[in-house]
Amino acid sequence: MIRAIASFAIAAIAAFPVHALDIEQVETPGGINAWLVQEPSIPFVALELLFRGGTSLDTVEKSGAVNLMTGLLEEGAADMTAEDFATAREELAASFRFETGEDFVSVSAEFLSENKSDAVDLLRSALIEPTFDESAVERVRAQVLSGLRSDAEDPNAIASKAFSEQIFGNHPYAKTQSGTIETVTSLTRDDLVAAHRQALTKDRVYVSAVGDISPDELSDLLETLLGDLPQSDTALPGRADPDFSGQIDVLPYNSPQSVIQFGQPGLSRDDPDFFAAYVLNHVIGGGGFGSRLMEEIREKRGLTYGVSSYLVQKEEADLYLGALSTANTSAGDVVTLIRDTWQDVAENGITQDELDKAKTYLTGEFPLRFDGNGRIASILVGMQADDLPIDYADTRNAKVEAVTLEDVNRVARQLLDPGALTFVVVGQPEGLSSDD
């Protein structure tokens, strides 16, 4: 993933209590929809765009094209060189950030109210008229290749790549987002132009804005910014069917530590049991030092510095994953402890005390996420991408509070599947070998 961050002179941010969020829906004459929170007290605007598709639109042969293209959006646009563009952005005290993921290309922008017209014109040139100049392509390509060479020596990156390949097979999720040294080396300017057309489309964009801007101003701004983007003409990859066979894959790596990634099927964001599963995961491995996995592996036995688990909702797959590092001598014991913890919670559930502590934490930390215009804009665009209702921020904590011990323990029995837990271990683990 490439990140381009401009120098940014705006230091002030506005913080909202969650209950004060007044989200308006804005639809432009051209049919672009957005969520807006007006906050006129500080004269700047945070704008967040999320284009569905991302690196999963790459073919195997062109793997890395969307990532490289995204890294070039600020490296020359319209009649500006990369240096011209950077100078113009700095003079406007604007911040632009472009990121890629498997399911999205995101654009984050912040700019002063007095400069919003010029800042939007500049951002538009990056989105609509990137030049993909040869010298810029080679410069950013070299950065990507350097990152890929580093990843080839990084046990965490090796484990992540192997895990994705193992569970996703031929689905685009099996590819690394940055591509391979071979595919990135062979990408042409025409490939980048094609990736740009596929990834940045008007009909697959979610938009949010927070700050000193009215609905009419936002509508005009979005028509200027996005009105000339094309409609999509490339299908999304379709639903994945991850293979969690319960096997262990060991990849030899010369290190005293083993990196372990593990996982099993998850559940979708719109599943009626999502909040019960969310609370359950907090108890198992999402709650830091108070979690079951941390207690069993670190506190009782000192076998790791940290272990975590997390529910993952991709656009086309739902996963329940976890990761940790441990000494090679303890890797076999750690895998057994993870499976035993899964089995114990599935059979015996969690306690009322664990449930109460999880709910207290999860409801208490939620308002802290809304700590600035940029963060709020990011949350709002994520809510749209997850198809959550516009009042989600107001109702989310009540949904957590409504989870009962019976709910959590029923979901634990249904969701946790020790036999499906699949592991990738990178290192020289003792007591472990790859299953046949």
Side-chain angles (χ1 to χ4, degrees):
M1 183 180 297
I2 299 171
R3 175 175 292 188
I5 302 176
S7 60
F8 187 47
I10 303 171
I13 59 173
F16 293 78
V18 174
H19 61 78
L21 283 181
D22 182 10
I23 306 172
E24 302 173 68
Q25 289 183 290
V26 176
E27 181 174 355
T28 74
I32 300 167
N33 292 290
W35 287 7
L36 166 66
V37 174
Q38 293 189 70
E39 171 43 56
S41 64
I42 299 177
F44 89 101
V45 178
L47 180 68
E48 192 77 18
L49 311 175
L50 198 68
F51 296 90
R52 293 176 65 202
T55 61
S56 65
L57 294 171
D58 288 336
T59 64
V60 173
E61 295 76 15
K62 305 300 181 185
S63 177
V66 169
N67 180 66
L68 181 57
M69 177 277 294
T70 306
L72 285 157
L73 291 177
E74 276 197 308
E75 298 293 330
D79 58 353
M80 293 176 286
T81 65
E83 291 74 18
D84 294 337
F85 189 96
T87 299
R89 186 192 57 217
E90 290 173 2
E91 289 176 346
L92 292 169
S95 167
F96 303 148
R97 187 171 67 249
F98 305 90
E99 296 182 328
T100 56
E102 289 176 310
D103 292 320
F104 64 85
V105 172
S106 71
V107 180
S108 306
E110 295 182 342
F111 41 82
L112 295 167
S113 302
E114 65 188 73
N115 293 337
K116 58 174 162 276
S117 178
D118 290 338
V120 167
D121 285 344
L122 185 63
L123 181 58
R124 178 192 178 281
S125 68
L127 297 181
I128 307 291
E129 303 174 282
T131 56
F132 303 125
D133 175 76
E134 181 179 351
S135 61
V137 171
E138 294 311 316
R139 181 171 63 253
V140 178
R141 190 200 310 269
Q143 295 171 4
V144 174
L145 290 173
S146 176
L148 288 170
R149 293 187 183 100
S150 294
D151 286 348
E153 303 297 325
D154 179 349
N156 290 291
I158 294 169
S160 180
K161 177 175 181 289
F163 194 87
S164 294
E165 290 175 348
Q166 177 172 311
I167 65 170
F168 287 120
N170 294 323
H171 192 275
Y173 285 159
K175 305 190 308 288
T176 58
Q177 297 178 33
S178 299
T180 68
I181 288 176
E182 291 74 21
T183 59
V184 172
T185 299
S186 67
L187 289 171
T188 67
R189 185 181 183 281
D190 286 346
D191 296 328
L192 300 176
V193 171
H196 176 260
R197 177 174 178 79
Q198 292 168 359
L200 303 187
T201 58
K202 187 163 51 177
D203 57 322
R204 286 184 183 156
V205 66
Y206 300 100
V207 183
S208 67
V210 179
D212 181 26
I213 187 169
S214 70
D216 288 343
E217 289 176 313
L218 179 61
S219 177
D220 292 343
L221 179 154
L222 294 177
E223 284 293 322
T224 299
L225 183 63
L226 305 173
D228 290 333
L229 285 175
Q231 299 286 333
S232 59
D233 58 7
T234 303
L236 297 174
R239 198 69 183 163
D241 184 20
D243 177 17
F244 289 103
S245 58
Q247 75 179 68
I248 298 172
D249 273 3
V250 175
L251 282 70
Y253 185 84
N254 187 19
S255 168
Q257 292 266 319
S258 288
V259 171
I260 301 176
Q261 292 209 357
F262 59 95
Q264 64 141 80
L267 80 176
S268 69
R269 189 65 182 75
D270 60 357
D271 191 297
D273 286 327
F274 173 80
F275 280 98
Y278 187 57
V279 174
L280 173 67
N281 174 60
H282 186 83
V283 174
I284 291 177
F289 282 96
S291 73
R292 288 282 188 104
L293 289 175
M294 192 73 95
E295 178 69 18
E296 292 296 329
I297 300 173
R298 174 183 164 124
E299 298 303 315
K300 289 184 180 177
R301 298 170 179 83
L303 301 181
T304 186
Y305 288 110
V307 52
S308 60
S309 65
Y310 33 91
L311 294 165
V312 177
Q313 283 81 38
K314 294 176 181 282
E315 185 86 10
E316 307 292 355
D318 304 302
L319 314 172
Y320 191 3
L321 306 178
L324 75 159
S325 296
T326 188
N328 286 325
T329 52
S330 55
D333 292 336
V334 164
V335 168
T336 299
L337 286 167
I338 293 169
R339 282 177 167 157
D340 288 350
T341 299
W342 239 247
Q343 187 73 47
D344 178 53
V345 179
E347 291 179 354
N348 303 310
I350 66 171
T351 67
Q352 185 66 51
D353 183 58
E354 287 176 316
L355 174 63
D356 293 343
K357 289 178 178 175
K359 288 162 71 171
T360 297
Y361 176 84
L362 293 172
T363 56
E365 63 83 29
F366 185 60
L368 302 180
R369 302 181 192 179
F370 296 76
D371 64 351
N373 288 5
R375 289 287 303 276
I376 295 170
S378 177
I379 290 170
L380 297 188
V381 88
M383 287 166 55
Q384 294 173 71
D386 285 343
D387 199 24
L388 296 174
I390 200 166
D391 66 346
Y392 173 77
D394 296 326
T395 61
R396 180 265 194 192
N397 272 1
K399 297 180 188 301
V400 174
E401 290 287 7
V403 172
T404 68
L405 188 62
E406 181 181 1
D407 292 333
V408 175
N409 290 339
R410 173 180 52 78
V411 170
R413 290 191 296 274
Q414 295 170 349
L415 177 65
L416 299 180
D417 186 353
L421 272 177
T422 298
F423 294 82
V424 166
V425 183
V426 176
Q428 297 177 318
E430 295 183 13
L432 286 177
S433 59
S434 294
D435 296 332
D436 294 332

